[in-house]
Amino acid sequence: MPYIIYDLEFTVSRNTRYSSEIIDIGAVKVTEGENGLSVSDTFHTYVRPSNKSVLSADTIQFTGITQKDIDAAPLFPEALNQFIAWMGSESYYMCSWGPDDRTKLISHCRTHQLDVAWITNHNDLQQQWSRTMRREGKFRQLGLAQALELCGIEFDGTQHRALDDAINTARVFMHQFDQFNLETNCAADDEGITSKVVYSSSTEDDDKDSPFGNLAHLFKSKD
């Protein structure tokens, strides 16, 4: 069963009238062969927002995604169809770094009245890896860059770009594969899922390596 390691990037907006929207989907397919785990395929698409198609300056600064990238991109339903087709009909595990990507996928599907049954066997690698690496009984979420450093792996690419983050997440996943205990589940079975704050305003030291913590610092620097 393949492992779909994916990452999403979102719009950044201070206007509470608009919730953040997915603008970037990147994923890698990890499969197991005679020589162990390896990346067998990659997927990437930008996504044109439905509510506010013009990117904010904060979004461009934080993600590096340009208005030109977005203008040529499909809307979420079409982008999602491409993503699902790429994943294939074979059963799979879906893995992300943190819980927010899954939450956003579900909320977008509900907004566009799309099925969520394809979101199956989803696992939060950040939570599992952070619990494995906790010291002195204190639990804290580890950022992707921190996880790579602990594995002795240098970040390859640009942070906050979906495909690059997915590739680097897959590198941690393959390096520490024996440490993960993947669960089986289906989003269609969930009840009462509510939207969560995607970009935290926390200023704790533990958030310095987090994209959400970095975004909070970006806002703070402009206030």
Side-chain angles (χ1 to χ4, degrees):
M1 192 157 68
Y3 308 97
I4 307 299
I5 317 296
Y6 78 99
D7 183 77
L8 308 175
E9 295 298 329
F10 316 105
T11 55
V12 180
S13 175
R14 304 189 194 201
N15 190 334
T16 57
R17 291 179 54 194
Y18 300 101
S19 61
S20 60
E21 292 189 76
I22 297 170
I23 56 172
D24 195 13
I25 303 174
V28 301
K29 187 177 293 184
V30 174
T31 54
E32 189 166 7
E34 294 181 358
N35 298 319
L37 296 174
S38 63
V39 174
S40 59
D41 200 4
T42 63
F43 173 87
H44 176 257
T45 183
Y46 293 115
V47 183
R48 182 155 41 97
S50 299
N51 293 331
K52 195 174 181 181
S53 59
V54 178
L55 297 183
S56 68
D58 288 327
T59 299
I60 295 171
Q61 180 180 348
F62 185 66
T63 66
I65 297 171
T66 68
Q67 188 64 46
K68 184 178 179 180
D69 294 328
I70 294 304
D71 288 342
L75 293 169
F76 178 73
E78 182 183 346
L80 182 62
N81 284 336
Q82 294 175 12
F83 184 35
I84 294 174
W86 172 81
M87 287 193 291
S89 57
E90 182 182 1
S91 295
Y92 48 77
Y93 285 101
M94 294 183 69
C95 301
S96 64
W97 194 262
D100 299 306
D101 293 335
R102 179 179 183 272
T103 299
K104 210 63 180 177
L105 280 177
I106 291 173
S107 68
H108 270 46
C109 285
R110 290 184 172 178
T111 296
H112 293 276
Q113 299 183 329
L114 302 173
D115 188 17
V116 297
W118 62 276
I119 306 175
T120 61
N121 307 322
H122 198 289
N123 287 263
D124 178 355
L125 299 182
Q126 182 190 43
Q127 183 183 64
Q128 288 199 35
W129 180 231
S130 297
R131 291 192 183 280
T132 299
M133 296 303 295
R134 65 184 177 184
R135 295 184 177 90
E136 300 177 357
K138 180 182 178 181
F139 174 75
R140 65 186 182 96
Q141 296 283 16
L142 295 175
L144 178 56
Q146 289 176 307
L148 286 163
E149 183 179 354
L150 289 170
C151 293
I153 302 172
E154 292 187 8
F155 191 97
D156 184 18
T158 303
Q159 293 188 46
H160 314 315
R161 300 304 286 266
L163 182 55
D164 287 348
D165 282 350
I167 290 172
N168 284 284
T169 301
R171 295 167 73 199
V172 173
F173 176 75
M174 292 186 290
H175 189 274
Q176 299 297 136
F177 180 71
D178 292 340
Q179 301 295 320
F180 293 110
N181 182 23
L182 301 184
E183 301 176 354
T184 57
N185 51 63
C186 181
D189 297 332
D190 293 350
E191 295 293 337
I193 296 176
T194 57
S195 298
K196 297 181 180 180
V197 176
V198 174
Y199 292 117
S200 169
S201 61
S202 173
T203 57
E204 295 295 327
D205 289 343
D206 290 350
D207 290 335
K208 288 181 180 178
D209 191 42
S210 163
F212 314 124
N214 290 338
L215 182 62
H217 294 315
L218 170 65
F219 281 173
K220 185 176 181 181
S221 67
K222 292 187 176 184
D223 291 340

